[in-house]
Amino acid sequence: MQRAKFRWTWGIVVTVVALLLSACGSGGNNASNNQAAAGGEKAANAPANAAEKPAEETATAASGYPEKPIVVVAPSGAGGGWDKTARALTKVLAETKLVGQTMTVENKPGGGGAVFMAEYATQETKNPYKLFVSSPPILINNLKKEGNSPFGYKDSTPLAQLTKDFGAIVVGADSPYSDIKALLADMKADPKKLTVAGGSAPGSMDHLIAVLPAYKFGIDPKAVKYVSYDGGGEAVAALLGGNADVIATDVSSVAEYLKAGKVKVLAVTSAERLGGDVKDVPTLKESGVDAEFTIWRGVFGPKEMKENELVYWQQTLTALNDTPEWKAELQANAWESEFKGSEDFIAFLGEQEVLIKDLLTALGMAK
Amino acid sequence: MEVIQFLADGFASALRWHNLLFALVGVLIGTAVGVLPGIGPMSGVALLIPVTSTMTGGLGPEEAATSAIILLAGVYYGAMYGGSTTSILLNTPGESSSVVTTLDGYQMAKQGRAGAALSISAIGSFVAGIIALIALVLVAEPLSNVAVKFGPAEYFSLMLLGLAAVSGLAGKSMTKALMMTVFGLLLATIGMDNVSGVARFTYGLAVLYSGLEFLTIAVGLFALGEVFKTIIGREYAVGTIARVGRILPTRQDLKDSAGPIARGSLLGFFIGVLPGAGATLASFFSYIMEKKISKNPQKFGTGAIEGVAAPESANNAASGGAMIPLLTLGIPGSGTTAILMGALIMYNVQPGPLLFDEHPEVVWGLIASMFIGNLMLLVLNMPLVKLFAKIIETPPKYLLPIIVAISVFGVYAVQYSTFDLMLLIACGIAGYFLAKNDFPLAPLVLGLVLGPMIENNMRRALTGSDGDFSIFVAKPISAVFLIAAALWLVVPLLLKLRGKKVLINEEG
């Protein structure tokens, strides 16, 4: 009896350990945080590196990278623009077999992306298996005074710009406003009357999109009542539920709600009219407000990337941009293609940084 | 009538053999995910998305989307079923939504009633799942419109009510419970502030930027604390091994649980529908409510079956409720539904207000499969109860290291940081001393969950009202919550005062 019990107990122990090991392995695939990747890297890569050294310059395919699953982080909650870009990217890369490894998307919300950057720029500088999707906030957070993120695009390796999108000023379907001028005129008369919501903190992109037309219209941007939510999805919920009068978001997030007749889009921040579902929406310029804002989106890697890893992504992302699948994906999401390789992208970011710094200074929010 | 037609079509789709297989695989994996600490429903679902896309490769686009979402949803509610197992048996919550189950579940297991606790949580989960689904079929559309009306002011007041109700988690001393609540709220302020993006109490340490991980603290306080207590108290030497009594709940158990299951299901469902509230809150609220309305509140925390039935029903109902904003509006109500939404997008099914019109077969197939999946889970879980319950017959000298190992692996699998392991051990030591001195642990954990929600929603509401506090009473739903919270605090005090007077009179 005693003996039987003993054996039985060991059975449990073994089972539990086996389960745990499998849990550990799978957890690693999915969440892929730095420690596992960085710690495992030495052991896993050491022999591989030795073997691949000679081939390193010639072909990326032979270099072995990537040899583990890749995580693409959307530094926001699900449902927003970053999230959609990250999911579209991983989906097409997998579908077209451009990347053989499993790619997953991870959401890291908080601080308009600053929470993620703080972690990424300090702990993941050498983890080539974690990329992220970002957009103007990476510049804004680094430039603004309040809630400054000490880390900017210079703490990463910009790999490519993929798309451009534009801001949209959106009201509920039953809103009394049907053009931006009327809205701005009312806001000018009494800024307290209207609650403006967005998916990120004050001084961040949604806020800039919201106050930019107001500022250009002659309204004190500090008087605009801006409420921040955790991501674009919650902001839309606030608009649909009447807890916000107007939201500033991006065109691509709002198309589905426009089609369903739940919202009205008053203006877009592009230079010219857009196509698709928003073809009837005037630009800010058409409405007599001299403002423009482009939301570029791109892919970034860790600061310290090896040459072969950089070349790998250069080639893969350039190839991606030419596939019909990616074009179809862009169309489905109402995104406009705008591809820049790593070098062009870095130069572009330099220009954008100047532009945003000017804007923030004008708003009195620069660092 | 249209609904019935759609539902029939959905069943036709869900009952195809390959979809049945997908549902079965989903719930099996989900149960495993739930039992294992560390991989919660969120990472479990995320993990399987690429696998399902390979598995469904041969099907047409709509069919592939239906099959994939059936499997992933199976994982989601399977994990909700399985999540209670380690809470009950080992005092180690596998998911944040089953933290509160440890309070009575573990006590029941210690008394040899693990079988009853596990099976009642399976039965409760089943009933809750079915109730949530029926509600999903009948009132999804109108309810989602009400849910989005829930603004920052309403959220704030609801959370405040939750906080006021914390007395329901108090042990012997109310003061100690309040101290622990405040401590939890304080811990919750660590990290990057979501409203302004300012780092608070991080001292430049990057590991603190995203705040303290809730699960690390809960596992440390409950599981490791208990392990330390057993070791230091030399309880293992006594040699009494908890026996597994009967597996099925007694007739009395079922009678006691019927009410809590029904109330927990409804409450959980409504909390689940609110975007951002979630299963963890649902389980806490239902536990507190049951304790409040119970005739014998003192038996909670000592192994009351109601204390297992209510939160386990609530967290399952909440996961059903969370499907409503996702399917009707494209707004994910929880982390897991956000990932489910990502999976739908991968199949070119865009969740949003048009989902029911544009892809009825996907939505109704999913809903029908959830009925089937819940049934599968019940059938699957009842025999498993017998197996799982035997775990606690393991002598402590083997069981304690297993608990420690599970806790460490589980925390590391979520966070991948040695900092969290340190925090885990620190919380374990803190948990031991706090429990030894009668400081209740649950209020701390609740404070940690509620803190950020209270703060962010209060600041949002006040921004909207230009700093005018009257917004909290001007909004009717918010006012109702506030009044309820006030009554919750004041009524017991009044009763106590009265009671004292009566006592004084008697003495006089």
Side-chain angles (χ1 to χ4, degrees):
Chain A
M1 188 66 208
Q2 190 65 37
R3 229 186 140 70
K5 177 154 244 162
F6 183 73
R7 247 188 254 136
W8 179 86
T9 318
W10 272 105
I12 287 224
V13 171
V14 169
T15 319
V16 167
V17 168
L19 283 174
L20 277 170
L21 287 177
S22 67
C24 241
S26 47
N29 277 344
N30 158 56
S32 103
N33 225 311
N34 57 322
Q35 300 279 0
E41 202 172 32
K42 271 185 203 127
N45 278 2
N49 270 347
E52 84 202 21
K53 268 261 159 72
E56 203 175 354
E57 284 100 308
T58 50
T60 46
S63 72
Y65 176 86
E67 49 194 13
K68 282 189 293 187
I70 296 158
V71 171
V72 179
V73 176
S76 65
W82 286 340
D83 183 58
K84 285 186 181 168
T85 309
R87 290 186 197 279
L89 177 72
T90 53
K91 177 190 152 191
V92 177
L93 283 176
E95 262 178 14
T96 55
K97 311 241 183 307
L98 281 169
V99 175
Q101 288 291 344
T102 310
M103 294 186 85
T104 44
V105 174
E106 213 179 281
N107 293 100
K108 280 264 177 190
V115 168
F116 165 73
M117 269 315 277
E119 194 182 300
Y120 192 73
T122 52
Q123 296 175 28
E124 311 257 4
T125 51
K126 288 177 186 147
N127 177 9
Y129 292 96
K130 196 171 216 173
L131 310 178
F132 70 99
V133 170
S134 197
S135 57
I138 194 173
L139 301 172
I140 300 169
N141 289 341
N142 194 218
L143 294 170
K144 67 182 177 180
K145 181 173 59 190
E146 268 309 306
N148 176 270
S149 161
F151 307 104
Y153 79 95
K154 286 176 183 143
D155 297 291
S156 71
T157 306
L159 296 175
Q161 179 186 345
L162 295 174
T163 67
K164 59 178 179 188
D165 192 357
F166 298 96
I169 308 294
V170 186
V171 295
D174 51 359
S175 164
Y177 303 103
S178 40
D179 68 289
I180 184 90
K181 274 233 148 145
L183 179 90
L184 289 173
D186 269 19
M187 196 185 274
K188 193 170 191 174
D190 182 11
K192 287 193 169 173
K193 206 175 131 192
L194 293 163
T195 303
V196 186
S200 50
S204 63
M205 191 173 67
D206 284 5
H207 182 219
L208 289 188
I209 294 172
V211 298
L212 184 66
Y215 173 61
K216 295 280 180 181
F217 198 74
I219 301 167
D220 176 12
K222 282 172 219 138
V224 176
K225 233 165 70 176
Y226 178 81
V227 181
S228 72
Y229 283 86
D230 294 337
E234 282 193 23
V236 171
L239 182 72
L240 296 181
N243 290 300
D245 300 305
V246 47
I247 62 168
T249 180
D250 35 78
V251 171
S252 62
S253 307
V254 81
E256 201 67 17
Y257 300 95
L258 183 67
K259 254 198 289 183
K262 298 253 177 194
V263 300
K264 288 190 279 191
V265 181
L266 298 187
V268 291
T269 65
S270 55
E272 283 150 32
R273 276 207 184 199
L274 303 169
D277 298 317
V278 288
K279 64 178 190 300
D280 298 326
V281 178
T283 64
L284 279 173
K285 279 200 170 145
E286 271 180 70
S287 316
V289 183
D290 185 25
E292 239 185 85
F293 196 93
T294 307
I295 307 170
W296 50 267
R297 293 211 183 98
V299 193
F300 296 75
K303 189 172 185 182
E304 294 172 43
M305 273 189 124
K306 293 197 195 83
E307 186 60 31
N308 66 319
E309 291 156 1
L310 190 60
V311 171
Y312 173 84
W313 285 111
Q314 281 285 18
Q315 291 176 351
T316 309
L317 293 172
T318 311
L320 169 83
N321 192 47
D322 293 330
T323 59
E325 287 89 347
W326 179 246
K327 293 198 171 97
E329 191 65 33
L330 291 174
Q331 205 173 2
N333 283 296
W335 293 332
E336 286 198 45
S337 175
E338 177 98 341
F339 187 81
K340 290 194 182 71
S342 188
E343 277 173 35
D344 293 345
F345 190 28
I346 293 171
F348 170 71
L349 287 171
E351 291 164 26
Q352 288 287 309
E353 189 171 28
V354 176
L355 193 98
I356 288 172
K357 196 164 192 171
D358 287 348
L359 183 62
L360 281 170
T361 312
L363 292 170
M365 296 181 85
K367 183 164 71 175
Chain B
M1 281 310 99
E2 218 183 1
V3 169
I4 293 173
Q5 180 57 41
F6 276 127
L7 192 61
D9 289 348
F11 269 106
S13 157
L15 283 170
R16 290 222 212 104
W17 70 268
H18 66 266
N19 283 339
L20 282 176
L21 192 67
F22 275 113
L24 182 66
V25 171
V27 298
L28 276 175
I29 296 174
T31 307
V33 161
V35 171
L36 295 168
I39 26 176
M42 203 162 134
S43 38
V45 172
L47 187 67
L48 281 168
I49 289 177
V51 182
T52 48
S53 75
T54 324
M55 282 166 77
T56 55
L59 300 167
E62 285 280 325
E63 278 197 324
T66 314
S67 300
I69 199 75
I70 283 175
L71 192 152
L72 296 174
V75 175
Y76 180 27
Y77 48 78
M80 288 293 171
Y81 270 72
S84 58
T85 309
T86 44
S87 291
I88 291 172
L89 295 176
L90 307 175
N91 208 23
T92 310
E95 272 76 53
S96 51
S97 57
S98 50
V99 166
V100 73
T101 311
T102 58
L103 298 179
D104 278 286
Y106 183 63
Q107 295 300 328
M108 282 184 74
K110 269 177 142 180
Q111 296 157 14
R113 290 165 70 210
L118 286 171
S119 47
I120 208 72
S121 81
I123 294 168
S125 295
F126 173 74
V127 173
I130 297 299
I131 290 181
L133 275 171
I134 293 171
L136 176 62
V137 170
L138 295 179
V139 291
E141 190 86 47
L143 204 58
S144 68
N145 292 330
V146 176
V148 291
K149 291 260 183 318
F150 229 75
E154 284 86 357
Y155 273 108
F156 169 76
S157 303
L158 175 67
M159 304 296 162
L160 207 64
L161 172 61
L163 206 59
V166 85
S167 59
L169 297 170
K172 287 170 193 149
S173 160
M174 190 62 207
T175 319
K176 283 178 175 171
L178 289 176
M179 284 167 72
M180 296 310 287
T181 313
V182 172
F183 188 47
L185 291 173
L186 289 177
L187 288 181
T189 59
I190 296 175
M192 201 79 96
D193 170 32
N194 263 346
V195 177
S196 65
V198 176
R200 297 186 299 195
F201 305 110
T202 58
Y203 305 102
L205 294 173
V207 280
L208 289 174
Y209 277 1
S210 35
L212 300 177
E213 167 67 27
F214 170 76
L215 199 63
T216 306
I217 294 188
V219 170
L221 289 176
F222 287 100
L224 285 194
E226 178 71 18
V227 168
F228 291 150
K229 181 181 153 224
T230 314
I231 295 173
I232 296 171
R234 295 190 180 279
E235 287 174 27
Y236 60 90
V238 184
T240 48
I241 296 164
R243 285 273 147 208
V244 180
R246 53 181 293 145
I247 296 301
L248 290 176
T250 61
R251 193 172 289 267
Q252 184 61 37
D253 284 342
L254 286 173
K255 217 176 118 195
D256 289 344
S257 307
I261 287 176
R263 285 186 292 267
S265 300
L266 289 174
L267 184 71
F269 176 74
F270 285 112
I271 292 178
V273 172
L274 301 174
T280 308
L281 271 191
S283 60
F284 268 105
F285 281 9
S286 69
Y287 181 87
I288 294 169
M289 184 177 78
E290 283 310 319
K291 188 169 176 185
K292 195 74 196 170
I293 62 176
S294 166
K295 287 191 193 94
N296 310 306
Q298 70 278 5
K299 81 180 173 181
F300 278 79
T302 60
I305 197 155
E306 296 92 326
V308 176
E312 280 304 312
S313 313
N315 69 28
N316 224 48
S319 65
M323 300 300 281
I324 287 188
L326 175 71
L327 294 178
T328 57
L329 293 173
I331 294 165
S334 67
T336 317
T337 45
I339 290 174
L340 283 179
M341 178 167 143
L344 285 171
I345 295 172
M346 267 182 69
Y347 285 95
N348 269 329
V349 177
Q350 178 71 50
L354 296 177
L355 185 63
F356 274 86
D357 298 331
E358 284 179 348
H359 303 281
E361 56 281 55
V362 176
V363 182
W364 290 102
L366 170 67
I367 292 174
S369 85
M370 286 169 78
F371 277 107
I372 297 166
N374 267 294
L375 197 63
M376 283 180 180
L377 276 168
L378 186 68
V379 175
L380 192 77
N381 268 279
M382 293 314 272
L384 279 180
V385 164
K386 206 168 177 176
L387 186 74
F388 285 138
K390 287 216 184 271
I391 290 176
I392 54 161
E393 286 190 354
T394 316
K397 60 178 170 174
Y398 300 122
L399 194 58
L400 292 180
I402 292 176
I403 297 178
V404 173
I406 287 180
S407 307
V408 170
F409 278 123
V411 164
Y412 194 75
V414 174
Q415 293 296 88
Y416 291 98
S417 97
T418 40
F419 169 80
D420 272 82
L421 294 182
M422 302 295 182
L423 182 64
L424 176 75
I425 295 170
C427 287
I429 296 169
Y432 166 72
F433 284 107
L434 290 173
K436 195 181 169 194
N437 294 301
D438 277 330
F439 285 94
L441 301 172
L444 191 161
V445 176
L446 186 67
L448 198 59
V449 181
L450 287 176
M453 295 192 199
I454 291 184
E455 190 196 346
N456 291 343
N457 282 305
M458 178 176 173
R459 287 162 72 181
R460 280 175 196 148
L462 288 178
T463 312
S465 71
D466 300 308
D468 184 358
F469 278 86
S470 67
I471 185 169
F472 297 113
V473 285
K475 297 223 173 197
I477 305 177
S478 168
V480 169
F481 287 137
L482 284 181
I483 291 167
L487 288 178
W488 201 298
L489 292 177
V490 173
V491 168
L493 279 179
L494 287 179
L495 286 178
K496 205 175 173 186
L497 281 179
R498 239 194 188 171
K500 258 188 184 157
K501 254 183 207 151
V502 173
L503 209 70
I504 292 165
N505 284 349
E506 269 177 16
E507 275 171 5

